[in-house]
Amino acid sequence: ASNGSREGATGAWPRSPLAPGEVITAQSGAFERDPQESSTTDEELSRAGSPGSRGGGGSTTPDYGEKRLPQALIIGVKKGGTRALLEAIRAHPDVRAVGTEPHFFDRNYEKGLEWYRNVMPKTLEGQITMEKTPSYFVTNEAPRRIHSMAKDTKLIVVVRNPVTRAISDYTQTLSKKPEIPTFEVLAFKNRTLGLIDASWSAIRIGIYALHLENWLQYFPLSQILFVSGERLITDPAGEMAKVQDFLGLKRIVTEKHFYFNKTKGFPCLKKPEDSSAPRCLGKSKGRTHPKIDPDVIHRLRKFYKPFNVMFYQMTGQDFQWEQEESEK
């Protein structure tokens, strides 16, 4: 029965075939595009870069200046908090960013750098051009391609407890395809033996150490900032201080910009200088997760633990995901 469900799932989920006994390393096959990620159309991208569009953020900036290739990228991870981070950094007057995801370094690379530049908003001297596409982090070719554009590009990765991230990823797909199998069915190659299916993209994305290895072949750690998706909710101003420091910006986005929405369970942005209602992320954010069998969560924690420890060692940061789980 389980195998039958899996066949039905293949249309909904990309899986990377793993050879029997394959060790998970940075060379372990390319990622396929997850059809559930928000796709950005060429029409949306051309709108984002058109004169008069507010797609570039920083609404106080008049529409003059010139289009430049981005100096900073939010490269991941999906369901980690990248949209929240992008919206918060766009509140900074010295940042201009595309609202849509260009997917240049994974899906549109053959269109060339001029196409990419044209998608960007116009900036003035001293402003930073940015974009975010979370699937870059898991795309094997992305580090080399970004490095060949500009080797001093600053990279931001928003990471989150990989177990929570996987469930959030599944929840997003479930909202669009209610007929898909349960999380429990998709998470295992063999439920009886407790073999986790690391080829399922929802699980594979969370093996952060694996993907980071690929980036470190092209970029030094000093050019990569790791933002905690959890702290982006509990202490948005603290995380934004680190982001602004990393980008060489004045700390303008502070606690004054955030209002905690108890209903949604995460902060909303507000403009400190006016009394308009705070701007919250859309209804697609903060969805209620389905109830998952506690045994499955326990097995996933065990699966991710060695990779998390490796990731902490590689980055020099302890995200305390294990501690957070033991408190639940």
Side-chain angles (χ1 to χ4, degrees):
S2 166
N3 287 344
S5 309
R6 240 172 218 301
E7 287 305 311
T10 52
W13 292 106
R15 288 174 187 274
S16 313
L18 289 175
E22 178 196 4
V23 176
I24 297 176
T25 67
Q27 284 70 43
S28 296
F31 274 76
E32 299 170 52
R33 168 184 166 186
D34 184 340
Q36 297 312 312
E37 279 186 348
S38 57
S39 295
T40 304
T41 62
D42 285 354
E43 188 190 341
E44 286 175 306
L45 289 171
S46 61
R47 266 206 314 272
S50 65
S53 94
R54 290 192 58 216
S59 54
T60 52
T61 308
D63 193 49
Y64 49 81
E66 61 179 272
K67 296 188 175 201
R68 297 177 173 86
L69 290 168
Q71 301 99 310
L73 301 171
I74 300 171
I75 58 171
V77 301
K78 183 185 176 193
K79 307 310 292 178
T82 58
R83 170 59 58 185
L85 175 61
L86 182 75
E87 293 303 321
I89 198 63
R90 286 170 89 189
H92 198 294
D94 291 336
V95 171
R96 298 278 280 158
V98 192
T100 45
E101 295 174 3
H103 284 279
F104 177 65
F105 296 104
D106 56 352
R107 301 179 201 164
N108 293 309
Y109 195 63
E110 73 291 342
K111 293 181 177 169
L113 283 172
E114 275 314 301
W115 176 89
Y116 188 44
R117 187 197 305 272
N118 204 47
V119 166
M120 297 300 141
K122 290 180 177 178
T123 52
L124 304 172
E125 200 61 48
Q127 287 185 317
I128 292 176
T129 305
M130 287 182 73
E131 68 113 323
K132 78 113 178 164
T133 304
S135 49
Y136 290 163
F137 189 61
V138 299
T139 300
N140 282 349
E141 302 79 19
R144 176 180 53 78
R145 289 171 172 177
I146 293 168
H147 187 267
S148 72
M149 174 186 73
K151 59 180 184 292
D152 59 350
T153 305
K154 292 186 175 184
L155 308 169
I156 300 174
V157 190
V158 189
V159 287
R160 178 185 185 188
N161 184 321
V163 177
T164 319
R165 198 222 65 82
I167 297 168
S168 181
D169 200 337
Y170 172 80
T171 306
Q172 178 175 317
T173 305
L174 187 65
S175 71
K176 297 174 186 174
K177 291 186 174 247
E179 73 282 2
I180 60 168
T182 63
F183 183 88
E184 288 83 348
V185 166
L186 292 164
F188 288 100
K189 270 189 173 165
N190 184 314
R191 179 74 190 268
T192 316
L193 297 175
L195 291 176
I196 300 290
D197 190 350
S199 70
W200 181 28
S201 68
I203 284 172
R204 203 170 170 94
I205 288 170
I207 308 172
Y208 303 138
L210 158 70
H211 311 299
L212 180 56
E213 206 171 90
N214 196 20
W215 289 89
L216 292 179
Q217 290 175 38
Y218 293 89
F219 293 95
L221 263 182
S222 57
Q223 265 172 253
I224 310 174
L225 178 71
F226 299 93
V227 173
S228 162
E230 285 84 11
R231 285 198 295 271
L232 207 48
I233 294 170
T234 59
D235 179 21
E239 286 301 286
M240 289 312 298
K242 293 178 200 169
V243 173
Q244 290 168 97
D245 291 351
F246 175 70
L247 295 173
L249 297 167
K250 274 179 70 176
R251 288 188 183 182
I252 289 175
V253 181
T254 61
E255 44 285 317
K256 300 194 299 285
H257 285 77
F258 298 100
Y259 157 81
F260 193 80
N261 181 318
K262 286 181 181 154
T263 313
K264 275 196 166 282
F266 50 74
C268 300
L269 268 176
K270 61 178 183 178
K271 290 182 178 173
E273 66 279 7
D274 67 30
S275 57
S276 59
R279 198 157 47 89
C280 296
L281 295 177
K283 63 178 185 296
S284 67
K285 306 296 177 184
R287 290 189 186 98
T288 305
H289 290 178
K291 192 157 175 52
I292 309 292
D293 182 337
D295 176 60
V296 173
I297 291 177
H298 173 70
R299 286 176 186 274
L300 271 178
R301 285 175 186 164
K302 277 182 73 173
F303 168 79
Y304 279 122
K305 188 172 183 178
F307 296 112
N308 289 348
V309 169
M310 200 184 305
F311 183 64
Y312 298 166
Q313 289 170 343
M314 290 168 85
T315 60
Q317 286 175 249
D318 182 350
F319 290 91
Q320 302 184 327
W321 292 320
E322 288 70 28
Q323 184 181 322
E324 171 197 318
E325 286 167 347
S326 65
E327 290 166 3
K328 286 179 182 172

